[in-house]
Short mmCIF file of all heavy atoms in Angstrom, two decimals:
data_model
loop_
_atom_site.label_atom_id
_atom_site.label_comp_id
_atom_site.label_asym_id
_atom_site.label_seq_id
_atom_site.Cartn_x
_atom_site.Cartn_y
_atom_site.Cartn_z
N LEU A 140 103.27 101.04 101.61
CA LEU A 140 103.06 101.31 100.20
C LEU A 140 104.18 102.23 99.73
O LEU A 140 104.43 103.28 100.32
CB LEU A 140 101.71 101.99 99.96
CG LEU A 140 100.47 101.24 100.43
CD1 LEU A 140 99.21 102.02 100.07
CD2 LEU A 140 100.41 99.83 99.86
N GLY A 141 104.86 101.81 98.66
CA GLY A 141 105.96 102.60 98.14
C GLY A 141 107.14 101.71 97.78
O GLY A 141 107.19 100.53 98.18
N THR A 142 108.08 102.27 97.03
CA THR A 142 109.25 101.53 96.60
C THR A 142 110.51 102.25 97.08
O THR A 142 110.47 103.00 98.05
CB THR A 142 109.25 101.36 95.07
OG1 THR A 142 109.10 102.66 94.46
CG2 THR A 142 108.10 100.47 94.62
N ARG A 143 111.64 102.03 96.41
CA ARG A 143 112.91 102.57 96.89
C ARG A 143 112.87 104.09 97.11
O ARG A 143 113.30 104.58 98.16
CB ARG A 143 114.03 102.23 95.90
CG ARG A 143 115.39 102.75 96.35
CD ARG A 143 116.39 102.83 95.20
NE ARG A 143 116.73 101.53 94.65
CZ ARG A 143 117.77 100.81 95.05
NH1 ARG A 143 118.58 101.25 95.99
NH2 ARG A 143 118.02 99.64 94.47
N GLY A 144 112.36 104.84 96.13
CA GLY A 144 112.36 106.29 96.24
C GLY A 144 111.63 106.78 97.48
O GLY A 144 112.20 107.54 98.29
N PRO A 145 110.35 106.40 97.67
CA PRO A 145 109.65 106.82 98.89
C PRO A 145 110.30 106.31 100.17
O PRO A 145 110.27 106.99 101.19
CB PRO A 145 108.25 106.22 98.70
CG PRO A 145 108.08 106.12 97.21
CD PRO A 145 109.45 105.78 96.69
N ALA A 146 110.90 105.11 100.12
CA ALA A 146 111.58 104.60 101.32
C ALA A 146 112.75 105.50 101.68
O ALA A 146 112.98 105.81 102.85
CB ALA A 146 112.05 103.17 101.08
N GLU A 147 113.52 105.93 100.67
CA GLU A 147 114.67 106.79 100.94
C GLU A 147 114.24 108.19 101.35
O GLU A 147 114.96 108.87 102.10
CB GLU A 147 115.56 106.85 99.70
CG GLU A 147 116.24 105.51 99.40
CD GLU A 147 117.04 105.53 98.11
OE1 GLU A 147 116.86 106.48 97.32
OE2 GLU A 147 117.84 104.59 97.91
N ALA A 148 113.05 108.63 100.89
CA ALA A 148 112.57 109.98 101.21
C ALA A 148 111.74 110.01 102.49
O ALA A 148 111.29 111.09 102.90
CB ALA A 148 111.73 110.51 100.05
N GLY A 149 111.51 108.87 103.11
CA GLY A 149 110.65 108.83 104.29
C GLY A 149 109.21 109.14 103.95
O GLY A 149 108.48 109.71 104.77
N ALA A 150 108.78 108.74 102.76
CA ALA A 150 107.45 109.11 102.26
C ALA A 150 106.55 107.91 102.01
O ALA A 150 105.62 107.97 101.21
CB ALA A 150 107.60 109.92 100.97
N LEU A 151 106.82 106.80 102.68
CA LEU A 151 105.97 105.63 102.54
C LEU A 151 104.62 105.86 103.20
O LEU A 151 104.49 106.72 104.08
CB LEU A 151 106.65 104.41 103.18
CG LEU A 151 107.99 104.00 102.56
CD1 LEU A 151 108.73 103.04 103.49
CD2 LEU A 151 107.78 103.38 101.19
N VAL A 152 103.62 105.10 102.80
CA VAL A 152 102.34 105.06 103.50
C VAL A 152 102.34 103.77 104.31
O VAL A 152 102.53 102.68 103.76
CB VAL A 152 101.15 105.10 102.53
CG1 VAL A 152 99.83 104.93 103.28
CG2 VAL A 152 101.15 106.40 101.74
N VAL A 153 102.14 103.89 105.61
CA VAL A 153 102.20 102.74 106.51
C VAL A 153 100.79 102.26 106.79
O VAL A 153 99.93 103.04 107.22
CB VAL A 153 102.91 103.10 107.82
CG1 VAL A 153 103.00 101.87 108.73
CG2 VAL A 153 104.30 103.67 107.55
N LEU A 154 100.54 100.97 106.57
CA LEU A 154 99.25 100.35 106.83
C LEU A 154 99.37 99.56 108.12
O LEU A 154 99.70 98.38 108.12
CB LEU A 154 98.86 99.44 105.65
CG LEU A 154 98.92 100.08 104.26
CD1 LEU A 154 98.56 99.06 103.19
CD2 LEU A 154 98.01 101.30 104.18
N ALA A 155 99.11 100.23 109.23
CA ALA A 155 99.40 99.66 110.55
C ALA A 155 98.17 98.99 111.15
O ALA A 155 97.04 99.49 111.03
CB ALA A 155 99.92 100.74 111.48
N SER A 156 98.40 97.88 111.83
CA SER A 156 97.33 97.20 112.55
C SER A 156 97.94 96.47 113.73
O SER A 156 98.97 95.82 113.61
CB SER A 156 96.59 96.23 111.62
OG SER A 156 97.47 95.31 110.99
N GLY A 157 97.27 96.61 114.88
CA GLY A 157 97.80 96.00 116.08
C GLY A 157 97.20 96.64 117.31
O GLY A 157 96.27 97.46 117.21
N PRO A 158 97.71 96.32 118.48
CA PRO A 158 97.12 96.81 119.74
C PRO A 158 97.24 98.32 119.88
O PRO A 158 98.28 98.90 119.56
CB PRO A 158 97.90 96.06 120.82
CG PRO A 158 99.18 95.65 120.16
CD PRO A 158 98.86 95.42 118.73
N ASP A 159 96.18 98.92 120.39
CA ASP A 159 96.16 100.38 120.56
C ASP A 159 97.29 100.87 121.46
O ASP A 159 97.84 101.95 121.24
CB ASP A 159 94.81 100.83 121.14
CG ASP A 159 93.68 100.70 120.14
OD1 ASP A 159 93.96 100.58 118.92
OD2 ASP A 159 92.50 100.71 120.57
N ASP A 160 97.63 100.07 122.48
CA ASP A 160 98.62 100.56 123.43
C ASP A 160 100.04 100.56 122.87
O ASP A 160 100.97 101.02 123.55
CB ASP A 160 98.56 99.78 124.74
CG ASP A 160 98.82 98.29 124.57
OD1 ASP A 160 99.19 97.86 123.45
OD2 ASP A 160 98.64 97.54 125.55
N ALA A 161 100.21 100.07 121.64
CA ALA A 161 101.53 100.12 121.01
C ALA A 161 101.72 101.37 120.16
O ALA A 161 102.84 101.68 119.76
CB ALA A 161 101.76 98.88 120.16
N ARG A 162 100.63 102.07 119.87
CA ARG A 162 100.71 103.17 118.89
C ARG A 162 101.70 104.24 119.29
O ARG A 162 102.56 104.63 118.50
CB ARG A 162 99.32 103.80 118.70
CG ARG A 162 98.32 102.91 118.01
CD ARG A 162 97.10 103.71 117.63
NE ARG A 162 96.04 102.87 117.09
CZ ARG A 162 94.95 103.33 116.51
NH1 ARG A 162 94.76 104.65 116.41
NH2 ARG A 162 94.02 102.51 116.05
N ASP A 163 101.57 104.78 120.49
CA ASP A 163 102.44 105.88 120.90
C ASP A 163 103.89 105.42 120.98
O ASP A 163 104.81 106.19 120.69
CB ASP A 163 102.00 106.43 122.25
CG ASP A 163 100.69 107.20 122.16
OD1 ASP A 163 100.29 107.56 121.03
OD2 ASP A 163 100.06 107.43 123.21
N ARG A 164 104.11 104.17 121.35
CA ARG A 164 105.47 103.66 121.53
C ARG A 164 106.22 103.56 120.21
O ARG A 164 107.43 103.73 120.16
CB ARG A 164 105.42 102.30 122.23
CG ARG A 164 104.90 102.39 123.64
CD ARG A 164 104.37 101.06 124.13
NE ARG A 164 105.41 100.05 124.22
CZ ARG A 164 105.17 98.76 124.46
NH1 ARG A 164 103.93 98.34 124.60
NH2 ARG A 164 106.17 97.91 124.54
N ILE A 165 105.49 103.29 119.12
CA ILE A 165 106.17 103.13 117.83
C ILE A 165 105.97 104.32 116.91
O ILE A 165 106.53 104.35 115.81
CB ILE A 165 105.71 101.85 117.12
CG1 ILE A 165 104.24 101.94 116.70
CG2 ILE A 165 105.96 100.62 117.99
CD1 ILE A 165 103.79 100.78 115.84
N ALA A 166 105.20 105.32 117.36
CA ALA A 166 104.91 106.47 116.50
C ALA A 166 106.17 107.14 115.96
O ALA A 166 106.22 107.49 114.77
CB ALA A 166 104.04 107.48 117.25
#
Side-chain angles (χ1 to χ4, degrees):
L140 302 182
T142 53
R143 181 199 294 267
E147 292 176 346
L151 298 165
V152 175
V153 182
L154 308 178
S156 54
D159 289 343
D160 60 8
R162 292 191 186 190
D163 289 344
R164 294 159 64 189
I165 67 172

